[in-house]
Amino acid sequence: MVPCNTEYPGFIYDNTIRETNSIIKCGRCQKMFVLQQVVNSNLVMLVVQADCDCSRQYAPITLSPREVKYNATVKCNRMKSQKIRRRPESCHAYHPHENAKDCGGACEISISVALFFMSLVTSLGLR
């Protein structure tokens, strides 16, 4: 038996930081970015200024995995400590922040009365 572990390049995000921004200097230009946590999820939103090209200074980050090679001692310890993967014993199909009334409303067409009257007044004002 041989452990088959792969690693992916990634970033460490401190979940105590809700929002941050900074500037990356790329030769003659500067690239600004903003990182913000999406509320009630494990996602982050990253917005990057696209008019500055940093490809000459920084190599692209690919998500191709690399195999991790172990020496004999570490390999033996990893094999002893690895747990067999299995499905969870129960299904968790509920979250307290979910509202079941919000589900399935994507195909519903409704008109905003305020938006309708604003567009009507604007079109009459332009005539």
Side-chain angles (χ1 to χ4, degrees):
M1 292 186 3
V2 177
C4 179
N5 291 344
T6 53
E7 63 182 19
Y8 293 85
F11 303 94
I12 297 173
Y13 175 67
D14 183 2
N15 58 6
T16 60
I17 300 172
R18 301 289 179 229
E19 182 176 342
T20 186
N21 57 22
S22 187
I23 294 176
I24 300 170
K25 295 186 179 183
C26 300
R28 295 184 196 157
C29 62
Q30 296 179 349
K31 182 180 269 195
M32 185 174 178
F33 71 89
V34 176
L35 182 75
Q36 184 177 24
Q37 182 184 18
V38 177
V39 181
N40 296 330
S41 75
N42 62 350
L43 303 173
V44 292
M45 178 178 67
L46 177 64
V47 179
V48 181
Q49 185 178 359
D51 59 352
C52 180
D53 184 22
C54 295
S55 61
R56 291 182 182 162
Q57 277 187 290
Y58 301 103
I61 298 171
T62 61
L63 290 179
S64 55
R66 295 183 299 265
E67 185 178 354
V68 179
K69 300 285 186 184
Y70 296 107
N71 63 29
T73 307
V74 176
K75 185 188 299 184
C76 183
N77 290 336
R78 291 262 324 153
M79 291 305 294
K80 287 179 185 176
S81 68
Q82 276 185 331
K83 296 187 176 8
I84 299 170
R85 293 184 181 194
R86 63 180 191 280
R87 291 179 178 266
E89 294 174 4
S90 63
C91 178
H92 304 282
Y94 170 76
H95 192 276
H97 293 292
E98 283 186 16
N99 185 358
K101 294 177 184 174
D102 292 340
C103 295
C107 63
E108 191 177 300
I109 298 174
S110 62
I111 187 167
S112 168
V113 177
L115 186 60
F116 174 74
F117 282 117
M118 277 182 30
S119 62
L120 182 65
V121 169
T122 304
S123 65
L124 291 175
L126 293 175
R127 285 186 170 193

